[in-house]
Amino acid sequence: MQLRFLGTSAGVPTRTRNVSALALTAEGQRRWTLIDCGEGTQQQLMRTPLSAARLEAVFITHIHGDHCYGLPGLLASASMAGRQTALIIVGPQAVRDYLEAVTTTTGLHLGFDLIHVDAATLVDNPLTLSDITVRTARLSHGVECYAYALEERHVEASLNVERLKAEGVTPGPLWGRLQRGETVIDEQGRQLSGADYRLPARTPRRLVVAGDNDTPDLLAPICQDADVLVHEATYTEAVIEQRGTDNGHSSAARIAAFAERAGLAQLVLTHFSPRYVSHPGATPSISDIDAEARAHFGGALMLAEDLAVFDLSRDHRLYRCE
Amino acid sequence: MQLRFLGTSAGVPTRTRNVSALALTAEGQRRWTLIDCGEGTQQQLMRTPLSAARLEAVFITHIHGDHCYGLPGLLASASMAGRQTALIIVGPQAVRDYLEAVTTTTGLHLGFDLIHVDAATLVDNPLTLSDITVRTARLSHGVECYAYALEERHVEASLNVERLKAEGVTPGPLWGRLQRGETVIDEQGRQLSGADYRLPARTPRRLVVAGDNDTPDLLAPICQDADVLVHEATYTEAVIEQRGTDNGHSSAARIAAFAERAGLAQLVLTHFSPRYVSHPGATPSISDIDAEARAHFGGALMLAEDLAVFDLSRDHRLYRCE
């Protein structure tokens, strides 16, 4: 499963970081999903192999402009490129109101349907897409805001050899057909269904992508068994203290400490205030965020960059590959 | 007066051309105006010396998304950067409806006022800004669409030497003070007001920036005395024929023939369909648009590119300077 960051800046774009958007592609699949869609996301997509024609669903964490102002343009361009396949839009109710208001006031006619799904309904009832299932958890950010837990659906099968042996099914090509899920007749004339003899070869990969949030502990239930948490670290503690407010955001320290408490193995930070710059010696710097997080989290820590690609492999480990 | 193209693609962005936006800066002024604001305009601005803090007015030609979907993000970012000065927004009524719908549905609170001006009212009553006056002409594009005629306000003064001589005002430093517009007492004890002795040194510069438009002749009245017309040339005739529709747009031939009929000295084409590419040998190519226009227009013809800067000098000639 590949995570491709399209925007990693908080609030406003900078020369090197666009506003929030993250693409998720399941292994070997051409369908993909988008989490948040700040202004300029369609321009960022032109710098990747992804096409809006293959986009299956868009998840919006919350209604703030830096997370959704790229949506009308993305939809309009997909329509002009001939898309006819319906697109699933998941988010707070405000996202639906926003899109309906924009399409009405600007006369935007899409050549495909939008299937709106209220993110609140996915807290208890997961949404099943082609390659993933998705649940939500409510966060704290002033406006209605969500984290999305995305779990892969199609885990390779291994054979339940113990059961086959116990039932006296003779090893041979028939075992391979059962592993592929076929229904077969064995030497003894028994009809055997592959579904009864298949076991998942491993646990499914699971990642949580959170919206803006000042209360990391709200993520505890949804982060159980997660391989990776992607979360904002808009500020360092020093800047929050200097500003006198966290503006509904987490510091690097707070989200890192949560990840440590929750026993997470891997944490990706993103959504950095534009005040943190990347060139050496600058103050404050992105390296301040990195250092503050490392002081509180002993697992694998990564800081997102625009167009960075991370691979969550079948062994549940996250590697940066681009 | 400088024209800086921020986006020159029609409908959807490409890797080399963003969607429509054009910045106009008066000589030596830090205030500037923006004409159209497609998605990603604020990102393009980061590649220029212009700051949204100094933006005096935004003119939107029409409500199609590739001309206005960058507006909410630009306003939000200006507000986050601390802007408090009111901003003038000129456009069809639909632009006001769109902005009000977006601010309402996304909870966007701006730290400055928007002063909405209906473009329809400027057909007969020009709008006076700090450095320019602006009139409009209605175009033909399916939705309400305008051309903006922008005329500079502050033309250098020369002295009315004939009148000074006729009135027996002795040449000397006093003439210089009158030229600067001061009120002085001359040797004969007369009070003389500079305003009575100043003449404009030249005609004011005037440019017309048009929105999408399938009927160039609608521009005839507003193009009288214009130094430059900036107009879309979305297609060549061959592509319109092949598509079977002009989709409410002009061909290079049609707008060039109009410019020739209107006696315009300078024409800048922009808003090219993404099918026209720039690399040599490609078909159809941007050079097809250039060639088609040149066959119908004998004046100075230029094709816009993203981030290209044109200077309209005091001698009314347009030069590409970046």
Side-chain angles (χ1 to χ4, degrees):
Chain A
M1 296 171 88
Q2 283 199 333
L3 287 74
R4 192 179 291 267
F5 285 88
L6 303 170
T8 59
S9 181
V12 300
T14 72
R15 281 190 181 83
T16 54
R17 296 179 185 271
N18 201 39
V19 281
S20 290
L22 170 60
L24 175 72
T25 319
E27 219 109 38
Q29 300 302 327
R30 295 175 66 197
R31 282 181 300 256
W32 59 286
T33 53
L34 178 65
I35 300 145
D36 282 335
C37 186
E39 180 184 357
T41 296
Q42 65 167 325
Q43 284 89 343
Q44 290 289 77
L45 282 173
M46 290 189 293
R47 304 167 71 188
T48 77
L50 300 171
S51 153
R54 296 281 173 180
L55 178 59
E56 184 174 16
V58 181
F59 298 88
I60 302 293
T61 59
H62 64 297
I63 195 62
H64 286 160
D66 58 324
H67 295 256
C68 68
Y69 281 174
L71 205 38
L74 181 77
L75 302 181
S77 294
S79 185
M80 279 186 263
R83 180 180 176 124
Q84 297 185 313
T85 312
L87 179 66
I88 298 164
I89 308 273
V90 185
Q93 172 66 28
V95 171
R96 180 176 191 156
D97 297 341
Y98 160 63
L99 281 181
E100 289 178 351
V102 172
T103 50
T104 302
T105 55
T106 70
L108 174 61
H109 302 290
L110 297 177
F112 54 91
D113 291 330
L114 299 182
I115 301 168
H116 288 281
V117 176
D118 188 336
T121 65
L122 305 187
V123 171
D124 297 316
N125 300 294
L127 174 70
T128 300
L129 299 179
S130 305
D131 309 312
I132 52 174
T133 59
V134 185
R135 291 193 301 129
T136 57
R138 180 80 185 259
L139 303 177
S140 166
H141 183 57
V143 297
E144 190 180 347
C145 183
Y146 292 91
Y148 293 98
L150 310 117
E151 181 175 307
E152 72 171 324
R153 284 186 61 200
H154 308 298
V155 171
E156 316 78 60
S158 64
L159 266 184
N160 189 340
V161 174
E162 283 188 16
R163 180 170 173 179
L164 287 165
K165 286 183 177 166
E167 295 182 3
V169 183
T170 316
L174 193 131
W175 281 33
R177 294 177 59 199
L178 286 171
Q179 185 171 7
R180 289 193 295 275
E182 297 177 21
T183 295
V184 299
I185 309 288
D186 80 346
E187 291 170 339
Q188 301 170 46
R190 295 179 292 187
Q191 176 169 310
L192 308 175
S193 167
D196 296 332
Y197 299 91
R198 283 156 56 97
L199 291 173
R202 55 179 175 80
T203 56
R205 286 169 282 186
R206 212 157 156 269
L207 65 107
V208 174
V209 180
D212 297 3
N213 176 38
D214 61 17
T215 310
D217 280 326
L218 291 170
L219 288 156
I222 208 172
C223 277
Q224 282 188 342
D225 306 320
D227 298 312
V228 183
L229 169 63
V230 179
H231 198 282
E232 57 118 331
T234 308
Y235 304 119
T236 47
E237 284 293 325
V239 165
I240 291 178
E241 197 174 321
Q242 179 193 321
R243 290 171 51 94
T245 171
D246 62 13
N247 247 347
H249 290 293
S250 287
S251 68
R254 293 175 204 175
I255 189 62
F258 163 77
E260 185 70 24
R261 281 198 301 282
L264 281 158
Q266 297 161 129
L267 174 64
V268 184
L269 301 180
T270 185
H271 195 272
F272 308 118
S273 161
R275 77 193 65 215
Y276 298 96
V277 290
S278 294
H279 38 271
T283 305
S285 153
I286 281 288
S287 62
D288 298 338
I289 291 177
D290 186 73
E292 183 173 300
R294 283 186 199 286
H296 294 83
F297 179 62
L301 176 76
M302 295 170 216
L303 268 59
E305 293 176 355
D306 278 32
L307 303 180
V309 182
F310 295 88
D311 191 64
L312 179 57
S313 68
R314 289 191 176 84
D315 65 3
H316 301 275
R317 289 178 64 186
L318 189 72
Y319 303 90
R320 178 156 179 183
C321 52
E322 277 179 40
Chain B
M1 296 172 90
Q2 282 199 333
L3 286 75
R4 192 180 292 267
F5 285 87
L6 303 170
T8 59
S9 180
V12 300
T14 72
R15 281 189 184 82
T16 54
R17 296 179 186 271
N18 200 39
V19 280
S20 291
L22 170 59
L24 175 72
T25 318
E27 218 110 38
Q29 301 300 328
R30 295 175 67 198
R31 284 179 300 256
W32 59 285
T33 53
L34 178 65
I35 301 147
D36 282 335
C37 186
E39 181 185 356
T41 296
Q42 64 168 325
Q43 285 89 342
Q44 291 288 77
L45 282 174
M46 290 190 292
R47 303 167 71 188
T48 77
L50 300 172
S51 153
R54 296 279 172 180
L55 178 59
E56 185 174 17
V58 181
F59 299 87
I60 302 292
T61 59
H62 63 297
I63 196 62
H64 286 160
D66 58 323
H67 295 256
C68 68
Y69 281 174
L71 205 38
L74 181 75
L75 302 182
S77 293
S79 185
M80 279 186 265
R83 181 181 175 123
Q84 296 186 315
T85 312
L87 179 66
I88 298 165
I89 308 273
V90 185
Q93 172 66 29
V95 172
R96 181 176 190 155
D97 297 341
Y98 160 63
L99 281 181
E100 289 178 350
V102 172
T103 51
T104 302
T105 56
T106 70
L108 174 60
H109 301 291
L110 298 177
F112 54 91
D113 290 330
L114 299 181
I115 301 168
H116 289 280
V117 176
D118 187 335
T121 65
L122 305 187
V123 171
D124 298 316
N125 299 295
L127 174 69
T128 301
L129 299 180
S130 305
D131 308 312
I132 52 174
T133 58
V134 185
R135 291 193 300 129
T136 56
R138 181 79 185 260
L139 302 177
S140 167
H141 184 56
V143 297
E144 191 180 347
C145 184
Y146 292 91
Y148 293 98
L150 308 118
E151 182 175 304
E152 71 171 326
R153 284 185 62 201
H154 307 299
V155 171
E156 316 78 60
S158 64
L159 266 184
N160 188 342
V161 174
E162 283 187 18
R163 178 169 174 181
L164 286 166
K165 285 182 179 167
E167 295 182 3
V169 182
T170 317
L174 194 133
W175 281 32
R177 294 177 58 198
L178 286 170
Q179 185 169 7
R180 289 193 296 274
E182 296 177 21
T183 296
V184 300
I185 309 289
D186 81 346
E187 293 170 341
Q188 302 168 46
R190 293 179 294 188
Q191 177 171 310
L192 310 174
S193 167
D196 295 333
Y197 299 92
R198 284 155 56 97
L199 293 172
R202 56 179 175 80
T203 56
R205 287 168 283 187
R206 213 157 155 269
L207 65 107
V208 174
V209 180
D212 297 3
N213 177 37
D214 61 16
T215 311
D217 280 326
L218 291 170
L219 288 156
I222 208 172
C223 277
Q224 281 188 343
D225 306 319
D227 298 312
V228 183
L229 169 63
V230 179
H231 197 283
E232 57 117 332
T234 309
Y235 304 119
T236 46
E237 284 294 326
V239 166
I240 289 177
E241 197 174 321
Q242 179 193 319
R243 290 171 51 92
T245 171
D246 62 14
N247 248 346
H249 291 293
S250 288
S251 69
R254 292 175 204 176
I255 189 62
F258 163 77
E260 185 71 23
R261 280 198 302 282
L264 280 157
Q266 297 162 128
L267 174 64
V268 183
L269 300 180
T270 184
H271 194 272
F272 308 117
S273 162
R275 77 193 64 217
Y276 297 96
V277 290
S278 295
H279 39 270
T283 306
S285 153
I286 282 287
S287 61
D288 298 338
I289 291 177
D290 186 74
E292 183 173 300
R294 283 186 198 284
H296 294 82
F297 179 64
L301 176 77
M302 296 170 216
L303 268 60
E305 293 175 356
D306 278 31
L307 303 181
V309 181
F310 295 88
D311 191 64
L312 179 57
S313 67
R314 290 192 177 84
D315 66 2
H316 301 275
R317 290 177 63 185
L318 188 72
Y319 302 90
R320 177 154 181 187
C321 51
E322 278 179 39

